[in-house]
């Protein structure tokens, strides 16, 4: 008992230090003004400036519009697919449901590379329209020049709709079919039953997925950068990082971003979450599904094929770009010359190969931390009712609600406060240059390794905990009691009973944590300021902005990431099935 209580409060202390404290530092930084004499006072001037400054105000409005449009579009794409998967069984359904996860294989900012090849003025779509004689080749349509907003919305929606799908299918699977059958007997139409019974019952699951999609797209940094769409709050915060030591304005913008994200979540929870319709009994029979085959299956499979085709198209363009000889994919439907050199360069180019090694190191260390803490936390959440358990549960899930860029900015603020500047000076004076660098994120020669590892671990800890809790909930505690009655020690019970039974869930959560850390965007872009410490995603962005073969090497690196995420998500889906949706739930 004492050991478990100690572990609970140790975890709470760690999360308070590396999750809550950075957030509080960021929030307080937006309200502190340093006078000329060095005296610090509280002020709301910088916070007011965010709303008074036309650029900041418009950036916030654009961010809300992007997030709203992405969320609505995700529901439009995912809900019909979830409903079809719930009602029909057909050959290849398992493969299609696994392929639904494919859009999650890359950060949307990498998919933006492919979309720019398709929709640019000299891209494939304009080349095809010109070949058909529908447009003048000398006056191509500027799909992205004046419509960067829609480019960002489309690529993010095609990336995030699987989260809505996973939550919707999990919620539909838990419905009692007797309710729908009773309404049908009473004469209710299919649409009425769906609107009056199904939707209210699955609303918590939809809200859970919709919340993650909204916050994710509201605070997305990489995709707007790739589309040169700078009039959004995350990009404004990113640019303000360079003057963070002298100007509290970026802090104030982060505060507003965090307040909007949390406020909208709380409002949605209040409006949509108060009225619920819990089931008092479990379903006695499984939901009836209609088996279709042959031509009758085509109308059911067509929506899956269309949505998947649209979602995969940008990624296919990334693959094509990775095989394109520099300068040969210009005003043509396909490249005029091909090469495989970019894949070799992605493993030998100093920036590319170094960043891959860095990401492997950061992600592996973060995974070790997550496994060590996540398993213990999950077991205590699922098997005990000890004091502090609910607080620990809330802190573990907090990273799903806190935008990544907010937490990354908090880590920057953390390194600027006591004791890190003092430690950096002391280490430097004593000749420990490496340790001095590790105390800094900004400055002349920083080494953010420690902070990146910790942030990767904190941000991905929910994946380990959620997947492990899902496994423990499916495993009867009677087996552990039986082992204890036979004289087995707690450590033996863990090693011989608990861990083997939930190994699939641990592996699935670990795969997700590792892969999402490998392709982390916000924390990588913000915390890594020196090329020698760049993670993979920061290197992709840096290479894409360079001339010559940079964009093509970036595409090849994106394909390596695509392969990694494909194997990860398909494996996790096979191990966890529909329980995978619980990982992406608030």
């Amino acid at each position: 008992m004492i050991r478990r209580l100690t572990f609970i409060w140790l975890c709470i202390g760690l999360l308070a230090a590396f999750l809550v404290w950075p957030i509080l530092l960021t929030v307080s930084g937006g309200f502190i003004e340093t006078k000329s004499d060095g005296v610090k006072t509280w002020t709301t001037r910088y916070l007011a400036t965010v709303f008074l400054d036309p650029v900041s105000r418009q950036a916030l409005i654009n961010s809300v519009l992007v997030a709203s449009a992405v969320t609505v579009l995700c529901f439009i794409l995912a809900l019909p697919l979830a409903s079809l998967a719930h009602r029909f069984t057909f050959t290849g359904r398992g493969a299609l449901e696994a392929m639904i996860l494919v859009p999650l294989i890359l950060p949307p900012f990498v998919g933006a590379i492919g979309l720019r090849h398709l929709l640019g003025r000299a891209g494939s779509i304009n080349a095809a329209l010109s070949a058909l004689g529908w447009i003048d080749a000398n006056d191509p349509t500027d799909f992205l020049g004046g419509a960067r907003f829609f480019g960002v919305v489309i690529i993010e929606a095609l990336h995030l709709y699987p989260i809505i799908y996973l939550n919707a299918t999990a919620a539909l699977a838990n419905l009692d079919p007797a309710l729908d059958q009773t309404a049908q007997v009473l004469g209710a139409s299919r649409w009425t039953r769906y609107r009056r019974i199904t939707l209210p019952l699955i609303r918590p699951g939809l809200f859970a997925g919709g919340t993650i999609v909204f916050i994710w797209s509201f605070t997305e940094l990489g995709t707007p950068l790739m589309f040169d769409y700078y009039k959004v709050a995350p990009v404004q915060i990113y640019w303000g990082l360079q003057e963070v030591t002298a100007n509290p304005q970026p802090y104030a913008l982060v505060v507003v971003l965090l307040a909007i994200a949390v406020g909208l979540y709380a409002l949605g929870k209040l409006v949509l979450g108060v009225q619920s319709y819990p089931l008092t009994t479990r379903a006695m029979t499984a939901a009836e599904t209609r088996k279709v085959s042959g031509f009758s299956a085509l109308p059911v499979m067509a929506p899956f094929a269309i949505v998947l085709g649209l979602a995969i198209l940008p990624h296919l363009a990334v693959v094509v770009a990775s095989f394109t000889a520099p300068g040969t994919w210009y005003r043509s439907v396909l490249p005029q010359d091909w090469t495989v050199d970019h894949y070799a360069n992605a493993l030998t180019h100093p920036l590319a190969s170094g960043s891959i090694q860095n990401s492997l190191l950061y992600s592996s260390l973060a995974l070790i931390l997550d496994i060590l803490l996540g398993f213990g936390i999950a077991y205590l959440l699922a098997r005990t009712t000890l004091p502090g358990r609910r607080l620990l549960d809330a802190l573990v899930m907090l990273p799903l609600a806190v935008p990544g860029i907010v937490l990354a900015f908090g880590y920057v603020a953390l390194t600027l406060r006591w004791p890190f500047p003092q430690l950096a000076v002391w280490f430097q004076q004593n000749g420990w240059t490496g340790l001095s660098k590790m105390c800094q994120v900004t400055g002349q020669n920083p080494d953010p390794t420690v902070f990146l590892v910790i942030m990767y671990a904190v941000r991905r800890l929910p994946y380990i905990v959620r997947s492990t809790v899902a496994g423990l909930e499916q495993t009867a505690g009677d087996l552990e009691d039986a082992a204890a009655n036979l004289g087995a020690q707690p450590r033996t019970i863990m090693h011989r009973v608990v861990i083997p039974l939930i190994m699939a869930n641990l592996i699935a959560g670990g795969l997700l944590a590792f892969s999402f850390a490998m392709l982390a965007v916000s924390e990588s872009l913000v915390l890594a300021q020196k090329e020698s410490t760049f993670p993979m995603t920061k290197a992709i962005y840096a290479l894409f902005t360079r001339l010559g073969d940079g964009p093509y090497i970036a595409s090849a690196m994106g394909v390596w990431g695509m392969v990694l995420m494909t194997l990860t998500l398909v494996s996790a889906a096979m191990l966890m099935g529909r329980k995978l949706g619980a990982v992406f739930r608030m």
Side-chain angles (χ1 to χ4, degrees):
M1 176 72 74
I2 295 177
R3 289 182 179 180
R4 291 181 176 182
L5 279 174
T6 302
F7 181 77
I8 286 179
W9 288 104
L10 175 63
C11 292
I12 290 175
L14 290 174
L15 290 171
F18 295 107
L19 176 61
V20 178
W21 180 236
I23 296 172
L24 292 178
L25 285 178
T26 303
V27 172
S28 64
F31 293 95
I32 294 178
E33 180 179 19
T34 304
K35 301 293 186 181
S36 58
D37 56 0
V39 177
K40 295 183 178 181
T41 60
W42 285 86
T43 180
T44 58
R45 181 164 63 90
Y46 297 107
L47 197 65
T49 303
V50 172
F51 297 98
L52 296 176
D53 177 39
V55 176
S56 298
R57 185 173 63 247
Q58 189 60 49
L60 285 172
I61 294 173
N62 289 343
S63 294
V64 173
L65 291 176
V66 166
S68 301
V70 169
T71 305
V72 170
L73 186 54
C74 283
F75 275 112
I76 293 174
L77 293 174
L79 265 182
L81 298 184
S83 300
L84 289 173
H86 178 67
R87 292 187 57 223
F88 295 98
T89 300
F90 49 87
T91 303
R93 171 180 162 177
L96 277 177
E97 288 192 317
M99 290 180 66
I100 284 292
L101 300 175
V102 169
L104 285 174
I105 63 179
L106 275 180
F109 93 105
V110 177
I113 298 175
L115 200 62
R116 291 186 65 160
H117 279 294
L118 294 174
L119 298 179
R121 290 179 62 87
S124 295
I125 302 300
N126 272 319
L129 295 176
S130 175
L132 293 172
W134 293 358
I135 64 171
D136 185 352
N138 297 319
D139 186 24
T141 304
D142 191 4
F143 289 108
L144 297 178
R148 292 187 176 94
F149 171 88
F150 296 102
V152 171
V153 169
I154 291 171
I155 198 68
E156 289 188 13
L158 291 176
H159 171 71
L160 295 174
Y161 82 87
I163 294 177
I164 302 289
Y165 176 85
L166 287 169
N167 282 272
T169 51
L172 287 168
N174 291 327
L175 288 182
D176 188 345
L179 298 174
D180 186 78
Q181 294 165 3
T182 301
Q184 184 178 9
V185 170
L186 293 175
S189 65
R190 179 175 299 170
W191 169 244
T192 300
R193 300 198 306 273
Y194 188 79
R195 180 172 54 89
R196 299 292 297 275
I197 297 176
T198 304
L199 281 180
L201 289 174
I202 67 173
R203 186 170 58 192
L206 297 181
F207 169 74
T211 300
I212 293 179
V213 168
F214 185 93
I215 294 176
W216 198 325
S217 55
F218 179 62
T219 58
E220 170 65 22
L221 172 62
T223 306
L225 281 175
M226 297 301 287
F227 277 103
D228 301 326
Y229 187 58
Y230 303 140
K231 297 180 180 179
V232 288
V235 175
Q236 296 295 317
I237 293 171
Y238 180 67
W239 294 138
L241 184 66
Q242 303 302 323
E243 55 183 18
V244 68
T245 57
N247 183 11
Q249 190 65 32
Y251 284 108
L253 187 56
V254 172
V255 171
V256 175
L257 192 75
L258 177 62
I260 292 176
V262 175
L264 289 173
Y265 170 78
L267 179 62
K269 192 76 171 176
L270 181 65
V271 173
L272 298 177
V274 171
Q275 294 182 352
S276 60
Y277 303 88
L279 298 178
T280 56
T281 60
R282 292 187 177 271
M284 299 301 295
T285 59
E288 293 184 2
T289 57
R290 177 184 169 189
K291 183 173 180 59
V292 291
S293 59
F295 288 105
S296 60
L298 292 180
V300 178
M301 300 176 64
F304 285 91
I306 293 172
V307 174
L308 282 172
L310 292 174
I312 293 173
L313 190 59
H315 302 111
L316 291 178
V318 174
V319 175
V320 173
S322 69
F323 289 102
T324 301
T328 62
W329 196 2
Y330 184 79
R331 292 190 175 184
S332 59
V333 177
L334 291 173
Q336 302 300 307
D337 194 11
W338 305 82
T339 181
V340 296
D341 293 343
H342 305 312
Y343 284 91
N345 291 335
L347 298 177
T348 58
H349 188 283
L351 178 56
S353 61
S355 69
I356 293 174
Q357 293 175 17
N358 289 338
S359 285
L360 288 172
L361 173 64
Y362 303 154
S363 301
S364 299
L365 293 175
L367 177 61
I368 293 173
L369 289 175
D370 280 338
I371 291 292
L372 292 176
L373 293 177
F375 172 75
I377 293 172
Y379 185 83
L380 293 176
L381 294 180
R383 292 287 193 261
T384 72
T385 56
L386 294 173
R389 171 180 166 276
R390 292 185 180 275
L391 175 59
L392 179 59
D393 188 19
L395 288 176
V396 167
M397 295 307 138
L398 185 59
L400 292 178
V402 176
I405 191 172
V406 171
L407 190 56
F409 207 83
Y411 274 57
V412 174
L414 185 68
T415 62
L416 299 175
R417 304 293 183 91
W418 182 89
F420 292 102
Q422 291 77 9
L423 285 175
V425 173
W426 190 82
F427 285 138
Q428 185 69 36
Q429 291 174 346
N430 288 273
W432 295 336
T433 306
L435 292 176
S436 178
K437 295 177 182 179
M438 289 186 178
C439 293
Q440 308 172 54
V441 170
T442 59
Q444 295 296 324
N445 197 18
D447 183 359
T449 298
V450 173
F451 295 100
L452 278 169
V453 169
I454 294 174
M455 187 170 178
Y456 282 177
V458 169
R459 291 275 293 163
R460 276 83 205 171
L461 184 59
Y463 300 148
I464 299 288
V465 174
R466 277 285 168 85
S467 60
T468 305
V469 167
L472 289 169
E473 289 176 345
Q474 291 179 309
T475 304
D478 298 342
L479 298 176
E480 300 163 43
D481 295 336
N485 291 334
L486 292 173
Q489 297 297 317
R491 181 175 298 181
T492 303
I493 295 174
M494 289 295 175
H495 290 170
R496 301 291 297 274
V497 179
V498 178
I499 292 178
L501 288 173
I502 64 168
M503 182 58 71
N505 294 78
L506 273 174
I507 293 174
L511 288 172
L512 290 173
F514 178 80
S515 298
F516 279 108
M518 280 288 294
L519 295 175
V521 179
S522 296
E523 49 264 61
S524 299
L525 293 178
V526 172
L527 296 182
Q529 299 296 317
K530 186 181 177 183
E531 282 195 1
S532 61
T533 63
F534 277 7
M536 186 175 175
T537 46
K538 185 66 177 278
I540 290 175
Y541 174 66
L543 287 168
F544 182 75
T545 58
R546 297 183 182 183
L547 299 177
D549 61 354
Y552 304 98
I553 297 177
S555 298
M557 292 178 66
V559 174
W560 286 124
M562 187 187 305
V563 172
L564 170 68
M565 289 297 288
T566 301
L567 295 175
T568 296
L569 288 170
V570 171
S571 300
M574 293 174 63
L575 291 169
M576 293 188 65
R578 293 190 175 184
K579 284 288 184 179
L580 183 62
V583 176
F584 300 97
R585 195 171 300 155
M586 292 274 188

